[in-house]
Amino acid sequence: MQTPDPATTDRAPDTRATDPQAVRKVSFVSLGCPKALVDSERIVTRLRAEGYELTRTHAGADLVLVNTCGFLDSAKAESLAAIGDALAQNGKVVVTGCMGAEPEAITEKFPNVLAITGPQQYESVMEAVHRAVPPAHAPFIDLVPPQGVKLTPRHYAYLKISEGCNNRCSFCIIPKLRGDLVSRPAADVLREAEKLVAAGVKELLVISQDTSAYGVDLKYATSVWRDREVRAKFLDLSAALGELGVWVRLHYVYPYPHVDEVVPLMAEGRVLPYLDIPFQHGATSVLQRMRRPGAQEKTLQRIARWREICPDITLRSTFIVGFPGETEQEFDELLDWLDEASLDRVGCFKYEPVRGAPANDLGDAVPDEVKAERWHRFMQRQQAISARRLKRKVGSRQQVIIDEVGGTIAKGRSKADAPEIDGAVYVASRRPLRIGEIATVKIERADAYDLHGTAVGF
């Protein structure tokens, strides 16, 4: 059946637009990474503060807001599909996010969108909403909780510490989309974290495009928190967050030398023994073409040292196979490096050209069938590594934060597992567990990615 053109479809008159007391309803679509999710949370908080009601359905809403992802072609396709769906069901659509940095890609296909803004342009988003659907009344800040509106479950939240990135990896256009690094003052980050903890958050997931570069743009300036000065620096911020009495998980940590300094905090239990470092490849020659740190022998030495300092540390990473010019020998170097590093959690992507990325000029593209074959070999190798590392936990007791409950088995995560991207712990219990509680679980068996056990303490 042909979808009607939103620009020409007849609709019943919208009386809310002329009724100053009517509640304005906005449907929201959030796509992309956790950094984009934080952007969505900030926009949603502003909407609620101004009296807008959020609805899960496009039909019947006064407006649809789509926060897009524009990094890979597959992500762009998903974003365009979401815009098209919103237009078909509603007709009034405002687009924001990374694809908004190149609006012609949207207007070429959907000239009828009401407005397009780039990432982090919260004021422009609200201006577009006001033009399309004026707020029903003046804003009252008590319509939203102090910590703002969150799109994650109550017991965990993403804490964004900076925007943009100063690195110039050849496969990436994030600096073009989001600009250079702009760090938040340490006190601002810590006050937001305090509000989240006060609202019941038990796990803070620290994110940015380059978390370990935090504060370099501020020259590590101090700001006052709890009557003392805290430097805007990766180590200092991590230590201060560790005082809040909740799990603190560090994501997107570029492997600068000073990352070593935070590992003792993990050994002391002040932040989670977990590092998410996107190594991207194991062959020095490929990393040079990627414009990434290339001393992989030194990296292996550092990993060994981290494990000496903090034996419980979990290392997760992401890699790219099929990068332009990748030879079979370079791929074998990656597999050898993977064996030596013995990382706990690993994601792998088949290289996709990104429009505007310098890597497109390298030529020597790897055929898609070769990319697929290498991806399968990589994942098979890593699956065996992950299974071995998980098997070592059988018989141990792990703290597990509960994400889902149902029947006699609950689903949670250990300190080694981030939401959405890592494995899970499936927990049997003699009493019902509650979402957000942290239980002590005896691990009884392991498979390739998940653990299974029984709750023995709460």
Side-chain angles (χ1 to χ4, degrees), residues 310-323:
C310 183
D312 292 333
I313 193 170
T314 293
L315 300 176
R316 103 164 309 276
S317 189
T318 51
F319 293 84
I320 298 172
V321 297
F323 190 75

Side-chain angles (χ1 to χ4, degrees), residues 11 24 27 55 72-74 84 90 121 266 294 325 351 364 371 399 433 441:
R11 289 186 174 83
R24 277 47 166 162
S27 179
T55 176
L72 298 175
D73 287 345
S74 54
N90 185 283
Q121 296 180 5
M266 299 177 179
Y351 173 76
D364 201 10
K371 291 181 192 176
Q399 283 189 298
L433 297 172
V441 177

Side-chain angles (χ1 to χ4, degrees), residues 18-298:
T18 56
D19 181 356
Q21 300 303 317
V23 175
R24 277 47 166 162
K25 296 183 178 181
V26 175
S27 179
F28 202 106
V29 179
S30 183
L31 303 173
C33 63
K35 295 178 286 294
L37 182 68
V38 174
D39 292 342
S40 295
E41 290 174 340
R42 291 175 179 172
I43 295 168
V44 166
T45 296
R46 287 285 303 275
L47 289 170
R48 290 294 293 124
E50 296 190 10
Y52 292 91
E53 180 181 306
L54 298 178
T55 176
R56 294 181 179 273
T57 58
H58 296 339
D62 296 286
L63 180 74
V64 180
L65 255 172
V66 181
N67 189 4
T68 59
C69 179
F71 183 49
L72 298 175
D73 287 345
S74 54
K76 292 178 181 178
E78 182 184 15
S79 295
L80 290 172
I83 296 168
D85 182 57
L87 283 168
Q89 293 190 50
N90 185 283
K92 297 176 73 174
V93 178
V94 170
V95 179
T96 187
C98 285
M99 274 200 78
E102 297 177 330
E104 63 280 357
I106 300 170
T107 55
E108 182 179 333
K109 188 165 185 179
F110 303 114
N112 296 326
V113 294
L114 298 179
I116 301 172
T117 75
Q120 307 150 46
Q121 296 180 5
Y122 314 120
E123 295 300 328
S124 297
V125 172
M126 295 308 299
E127 288 174 7
V129 171
H130 292 162
R131 287 195 302 270
V133 187
H137 49 72
F140 290 97
I141 196 64
D142 59 353
L143 290 177
V144 298
Q147 75 276 11
V149 178
K150 294 295 169 186
L151 302 177
T152 51
R154 183 173 182 265
H155 60 285
Y156 70 82
Y158 293 103
L159 182 66
K160 190 192 284 191
I161 64 174
S162 66
E163 303 282 3
C165 184
N166 288 343
N167 295 310
R168 294 297 184 265
C169 302
S170 64
F171 54 82
C172 182
I173 58 169
I174 291 298
K176 179 181 177 182
L177 296 177
R178 290 181 170 262
D180 288 336
L181 179 73
V182 179
S183 302
R184 299 173 62 193
D188 287 0
V189 175
L190 292 165
R191 280 191 286 268
E192 180 183 347
E194 284 183 306
K195 291 178 182 177
L196 291 168
V197 173
V201 166
K202 296 184 179 180
E203 179 181 13
L204 295 169
L205 299 113
V206 179
I207 59 169
S208 65
Q209 197 61 41
D210 182 359
T211 296
S212 44
Y214 170 70
V216 67
D217 57 308
L218 300 176
K219 299 182 179 179
Y220 309 121
T222 61
S223 53
V224 178
W225 175 68
R226 290 187 174 178
D227 298 322
R228 73 174 195 266
E229 292 188 338
V230 180
R231 290 188 303 174
K233 199 167 187 177
F234 178 58
L235 176 64
D236 301 62
L237 182 67
S238 298
L241 289 169
E243 298 177 26
L244 299 179
V246 297
W247 288 11
V248 177
R249 193 181 300 277
L250 302 174
H251 285 283
Y252 313 124
V253 179
Y254 199 87
Y256 303 114
H258 69 259
V259 170
D260 299 5
E261 299 172 355
V262 83
V263 178
L265 296 181
M266 299 177 179
E268 296 163 10
R270 297 170 68 181
V271 300
L272 290 185
Y274 180 101
L275 270 180
D276 178 0
I277 300 182
F279 291 119
Q280 305 296 11
H281 212 277
T284 297
S285 51
V286 175
L287 289 166
Q288 288 172 344
R289 296 198 295 275
M290 290 179 169
R291 301 179 189 169
R292 298 279 298 180
Q296 292 300 71
E297 281 301 317
K298 286 187 177 180

Side-chain angles (χ1 to χ4, degrees), residues 363-382:
D364 201 10
V366 176
D368 288 344
E369 60 272 17
V370 176
K371 291 181 192 176
E373 187 268 341
R374 290 178 182 172
W375 182 86
H376 284 290
R377 283 165 59 195
F378 179 100
M379 294 304 296
Q380 186 176 28
R381 182 74 63 94
Q382 178 57 37

Side-chain angles (χ1 to χ4, degrees), residues 414-434:
S414 72
K415 293 179 178 180
D417 308 306
E420 307 293 338
I421 56 175
D422 291 329
V425 183
Y426 292 90
V427 184
S429 178
R430 291 188 300 273
R431 72 157 177 85
L433 297 172
R434 301 182 305 277

